Amino acid sequence: MKSVKLGLLVLLVLFSSSTCSAWFGSKHKSSIASSSSRNSFRPDETSSSSSSSSSPFLLNRFRAGSSVVFPVHGNVYPVGFYNVTLNIGQPPRPYFLDIDTGSDLTWLQCDAPCSRCSQTPHPLYRPSNDLVPCRHALCASLHHTENYDCEVPHQCDYEVEYADHYSSLGVLVHDVYTLNFTNGVQLNVRMALGCGYDQIFPDPSHHPLDGMLGLGRGRTSLTSQLNSQGLVRNVVGHCLNAQGGGYIFFGDVYDSSRLTWTPIKHYSAAGAAELLFGGKRTGVGSLHAVFDTGSSYTYFNSNAYQALISWVS
């Protein structure tokens, strides 16, 4: 889901064969999420701890490069969304997360307690006691300005809004992700995520989800955090099958024979595009397209939409 609405709904994105791509990220880009201070947050004392079992010996094995691969479940139609499973916490528990290249923050619906949460496939996430302070660099990356207020200095409050008016309000915490790397090593990696205790779902038929996997180019994205710890290159790639499913990877290229590289600017913008219909030019060009796995549909601005309608009719 993007936080910038691009235009009117036009068509389903259907794949006639497996579609694979990869792109580089940048851990210095700002997140598209916004933050605002809320009441002081106190996690349950019985919740999981956030220590990492990664040793210097194991981390040294990653100097030559590594990657993490996650199976992708879902399809464009009839399911209408894709998700991956991440194991978070100590002990690790599975959570289904929507894949979203249009935003940075990864968050889970959270029992903090939760004031507004939707139906979830798994029990609500119980947050760790390891709060991210308000003046932490990760918290600063969630704001549009450096001069943000810190009403509660010991915690980082956030509020993320998406194009479909879906939103999540919560606090940033550290917890442990259990990750299996392609070099055969399993690590418990301490990273930040959002504990969302107040969600707004404008569509009551929205599919059940535990949270959102943000794969944007800001510092809070998982790829940026893994890269900052020297575990993977700041690269995201995916392969989606026409029959549904596929995989997504972080780090070194996985199955390079099936990948197509695309230059990425700003967030996940692939540069200026031209609108074709049936392989023929429509006369509409210079479209700045954003690649967004969080949306099941392709959106156009009004000019491109009207041009396409004229060709269809």
Side-chain angles (χ1 to χ4, degrees):
M1 302 178 189
K2 297 181 289 295
S3 63
V4 179
K5 185 173 290 185
L6 295 182
L8 299 174
L9 173 64
V10 176
L11 50 88
L12 284 167
V13 181
L14 298 177
F15 300 99
S16 59
S17 61
S18 296
T19 303
C20 305
S21 63
W23 61 95
F24 287 95
S26 172
K27 63 182 178 181
H28 301 296
K29 295 293 290 184
S30 297
S31 170
I32 59 175
S34 62
S35 303
S36 56
S37 296
R38 294 294 185 270
N39 294 332
S40 181
F41 173 83
R42 298 293 180 186
D44 193 320
E45 293 297 329
T46 62
S47 60
S48 61
S49 66
S50 59
S51 61
S52 173
S53 63
S54 304
S55 69
F57 172 75
L58 288 176
L59 294 180
N60 286 336
R61 294 184 58 180
F62 291 84
R63 300 307 179 196
S66 59
S67 60
V68 186
V69 181
F70 300 97
V72 171
H73 305 282
N75 54 54
V76 173
Y77 183 83
V79 175
F81 64 91
Y82 293 92
N83 64 58
V84 297
T85 302
L86 263 67
N87 294 297
I88 302 172
Q90 289 188 318
R93 294 180 173 86
Y95 298 98
F96 295 164
L97 280 75
D98 275 15
I99 307 168
D100 187 20
T101 56
S103 63
D104 298 328
L105 183 64
T106 293
W107 56 266
L108 294 172
Q109 297 199 74
C110 181
D111 185 10
C114 190
S115 59
R116 282 185 294 186
C117 282
S118 70
Q119 179 184 355
T120 58
H122 300 96
L124 292 175
Y125 168 66
R126 300 296 297 275
S128 72
N129 299 322
D130 192 356
L131 294 173
V132 176
C134 185
R135 291 302 177 188
H136 193 282
L138 290 178
C139 188
S141 71
L142 290 174
H143 293 76
H144 293 291
T145 175
E146 296 181 356
N147 299 319
Y148 60 93
D149 294 329
C150 282
E151 296 180 7
V152 186
H154 70 272
Q155 73 182 40
C156 173
D157 299 281
Y158 76 84
E159 182 175 6
V160 187
E161 297 180 358
Y162 300 94
D164 58 358
H165 306 297
Y166 183 100
S167 67
S168 175
L169 177 72
V171 297
L172 210 59
V173 300
H174 282 115
D175 212 334
V176 171
Y177 293 69
T178 301
L179 301 176
N180 295 309
F181 290 81
T182 53
N183 60 4
V185 175
Q186 182 183 87
L187 290 181
N188 294 331
V189 184
R190 178 177 175 267
M191 292 187 289
L193 72 152
C195 165
Y197 55 77
D198 189 356
Q199 278 67 240
I200 295 178
F201 300 86
D203 182 3
S205 64
H206 195 279
H207 64 275
L209 78 160
D210 292 313
M212 191 72 65
L213 174 61
L215 297 178
R217 303 176 70 186
R219 289 187 176 184
T220 55
S221 73
L222 287 195
T223 49
S224 294
Q225 293 189 65
L226 287 169
N227 176 258
S228 68
Q229 297 188 38
L231 296 177
V232 299
R233 297 171 64 199
N234 203 7
V235 176
V236 178
H238 81 279
C239 186
L240 302 179
N241 192 286
Q243 285 70 46
Y247 62 83
I248 189 167
F249 70 86
F250 310 151
D252 273 20
V253 175
Y254 179 78
D255 195 6
S256 59
S257 64
R258 304 176 65 188
L259 286 177
T260 299
W261 288 91
T262 302
I264 294 295
K265 302 177 181 179
H266 304 297
Y267 284 100
S268 297
E274 181 181 6
L275 179 62
L276 304 178
F277 183 80
K280 298 180 180 179
R281 292 185 173 182
T282 63
V284 178
S286 300
L287 296 173
H288 294 279
V290 175
F291 176 75
D292 182 17
T293 58
S295 297
S296 300
Y297 305 96
T298 297
Y299 296 80
F300 291 117
N301 60 33
S302 58
N303 291 336
Y305 177 80
Q306 293 300 328
L308 182 61
I309 292 299
S310 65
W311 277 80
V312 172
S313 58

